[in-house]
Amino acid sequence: MAFAAEHDVPIPYMQKTREYYLALGYGNPYRWAHYVDVPFAPPARPLAASRVALISTAAPYRPDRGDQGPGARYNAAAKFYEVYTDSTATMPDVRISHVGYDRTNYKGDDPRTWFPLIALQDAVKTGRIGALTPRFYGAPTNRSQKVTTQTDAPEILRLVREDAADVAVLVPT
Amino acid sequence: MSLVARHLEANGIPTVIMGCAKDIVEHCGVPRFLYSDFPLGNSAGKPFDAASQAETLELALRVLETAPGPRTTVQSPQRWSEDASWKTEYSNVSKLTPEDIAERRKEFDAVKETIKVIQGKA
């Protein structure tokens, strides 16, 4: 069995991002969140009897906020700063122009690649999971770890508890 | 998003992250992670490929129900393409000309300004 190509490894995004901003002339590189200890809660019941919460970093489409794709350039005006919810009954119009997805290799033209609601609805139909919560939850990507840990994460916890979620599937972009 | 997963888990709600940025998610430290070696933006499977998307979700659900402990990462066996050269294209600073750099800098400063304006209004 031949070895894989040397570059055929997970892309080192932290290193690439540091190099990029240094090349642009910015010092003080971004410091990513980092912990030694990680919490762990085993599932209390089988998934077929569990209610699943979907949490996403995708942004609701807002026509007044400029080009939001597919293929749009990075669009900071499309960012959102507070946790939001919307119904899981139908596929919402949620976009990713506000985050740094790989615009070189992906046009960003199939929302199902960043928002797996249809696949989750199918999993409910086949009985693989018990149910979805009636709402999904939108998590802001505002690069403030303080706001994420002290405001957004507690708010999402409050909402998923209100909706009696047993487990959560989180999909960052 | 890793921070949100940690907070839910610490409060008794089991989580799984579906993502494409292996180093960033593992650096943070999360309970369960289904990693797809795809371009960022494809955390839930390949575009216009329902089978890929269904398999990606199924694998995430299996990680959710069977992980033996925290920091469990499973890598999806799916390949973006046979040829892995797409990986060398992402944010390749060696390919930027001085003009590119000036342009990107201008763009980034404009982005920061936009965020400030929006946050000021919020």
Side-chain angles (χ1 to χ4, degrees):
Chain A
M1 201 177 192
F3 289 145
E6 204 64 35
H7 63 271
D8 195 357
V9 292
I11 295 176
Y13 288 107
M14 297 193 300
Q15 181 199 327
K16 289 254 184 190
T17 306
R18 279 191 199 106
E19 285 169 3
Y20 180 75
Y21 286 110
L22 286 172
L24 257 55
Y26 297 105
N28 188 23
Y30 183 77
R31 191 167 168 234
W32 280 270
H34 179 47
Y35 293 91
V36 171
D37 295 322
V38 180
F40 192 74
R45 53 181 65 82
L47 282 180
S50 294
R51 190 189 272 244
V52 179
L54 171 60
I55 303 170
S56 167
T57 54
Y61 174 61
R62 290 194 286 182
D64 60 326
R65 294 295 174 91
D67 189 3
Q68 288 150 72
R73 297 180 79 149
Y74 179 75
N75 182 352
K79 279 185 174 288
F80 58 99
Y81 296 92
E82 281 175 15
V83 172
Y84 74 96
T85 65
D86 200 349
S87 169
T88 53
T90 53
M91 186 75 175
D93 189 355
V94 289
R95 310 285 182 103
I96 55 172
S97 68
H98 64 303
V99 291
Y101 73 93
D102 187 341
R103 288 160 168 82
T104 309
N105 292 297
Y106 179 39
K107 281 183 281 184
D109 50 358
D110 180 5
R112 293 166 298 186
T113 65
W114 63 82
F115 196 81
L117 179 60
I118 290 165
L120 281 163
Q121 287 171 336
D122 289 345
V124 174
K125 281 182 208 148
T126 61
R128 180 69 175 93
I129 57 177
L132 281 171
T133 56
R135 304 180 285 184
F136 71 87
Y137 316 88
T141 54
N142 53 28
R143 287 191 147 217
S144 162
Q145 289 152 353
K146 191 177 163 197
V147 172
T148 305
T149 53
Q150 294 181 10
T151 307
D152 298 342
E155 174 63 2
I156 291 172
L157 175 65
R158 188 185 70 75
L159 292 165
V160 300
R161 277 183 170 159
E162 200 171 283
D163 292 349
D166 297 301
V167 296
V169 173
L170 296 92
V171 190
T173 295
Chain B
M1 196 63 126
S2 301
L3 296 170
V4 176
R6 291 175 54 91
H7 188 73
L8 295 181
E9 194 92 17
N11 285 280
I13 296 179
T15 62
V16 62
I17 290 187
M18 301 169 71
C20 300
K22 187 167 192 279
D23 60 336
I24 295 172
V25 174
E26 291 185 338
H27 184 73
C28 183
V30 299
R32 304 170 198 77
F33 177 32
L34 188 265
Y35 165 61
S36 295
D37 193 3
F38 293 163
L40 296 179
N42 295 279
S43 295
K46 291 187 193 181
F48 305 105
D49 185 339
S52 163
Q53 293 161 10
E55 278 167 30
T56 303
L57 177 66
E58 172 55 25
L59 205 45
L61 294 176
R62 282 168 61 192
V63 174
L64 185 54
E65 59 194 355
T66 64
R71 288 190 189 275
T72 296
T73 297
V74 169
Q75 176 166 343
S76 167
Q78 293 182 45
R79 298 275 292 167
W80 180 251
S81 59
E82 273 312 304
D83 178 0
S85 59
W86 65 269
K87 298 183 185 186
T88 60
E89 298 300 316
Y90 181 84
S91 183
N92 192 338
V93 292
S94 64
K95 289 188 179 172
L96 294 179
T97 65
E99 292 75 29
D100 287 337
I101 287 173
E103 179 64 25
R104 302 282 183 101
R105 220 188 129 93
K106 210 169 120 192
E107 207 171 82
F108 186 69
D109 288 339
V111 163
K112 282 197 294 190
E113 206 44 50
T114 306
I115 291 173
K116 262 191 229 162
V117 168
I118 292 171
Q119 284 178 324
K121 279 183 193 166

